[in-house]
Amino acid sequence: MTDPAALSGPQGIAFSLAGVDELTFVRILRDVVEDAAFARPLRLEAQEPRAGVPGRLTLVFWPQERTRAVAAMQRLKTVLLRHGVQVDSIHIPGEAGPGLKGA
């Protein structure tokens, strides 16, 4: 059962980006920063790729911004595809299972 208190705080849609090199990751971040779809109140947290650890992008939002966050998630998938990035997994809070697979 989901704890209602946990849903009242910020949530995040997490993208795991295995196989993305540092240069591609920086290019993706540049495109995202310049895109209005990711403006406040949404926030993007980035974990750059390191040896043996895939890069990760998390779209952070408040529950009342869920619709906007899902639209931004779709936009982020488009940005990633433009850079030839295959999304390994996406975790969406409040959805059953380990997350979506693929892009």
Side-chain angles (χ1 to χ4, degrees):
M1 190 152 102
T2 304
D3 178 10
L7 295 178
S8 64
Q11 300 176 1
I13 301 173
F15 287 73
S16 177
L17 307 173
V20 173
D21 61 44
E22 291 178 29
L23 182 58
T24 302
F25 193 78
V26 169
R27 288 177 177 158
I28 292 166
L29 286 179
R30 180 198 61 218
D31 287 356
V32 168
V33 168
E34 295 174 355
D35 195 316
F38 304 100
R40 290 198 180 277
L42 303 178
R43 183 177 82 229
L44 190 72
E45 294 178 355
Q47 176 184 334
E48 65 186 65
R50 302 218 184 257
V53 179
R56 185 176 183 96
L57 295 174
T58 304
L59 185 60
V60 180
F61 61 97
W62 290 92
Q64 62 269 27
E65 295 293 332
R66 182 178 179 85
T67 301
R68 187 167 179 221
V70 170
M73 174 192 74
Q74 295 299 331
R75 180 70 186 132
L76 181 54
K77 287 171 43 178
T78 300
V79 169
L80 294 172
L81 288 173
R82 184 179 333 133
H83 288 280
V85 175
Q86 175 68 39
V87 177
D88 289 336
S89 66
I90 303 170
H91 173 73
I92 303 173
E95 304 228 347
L100 304 174
K101 296 291 184 187

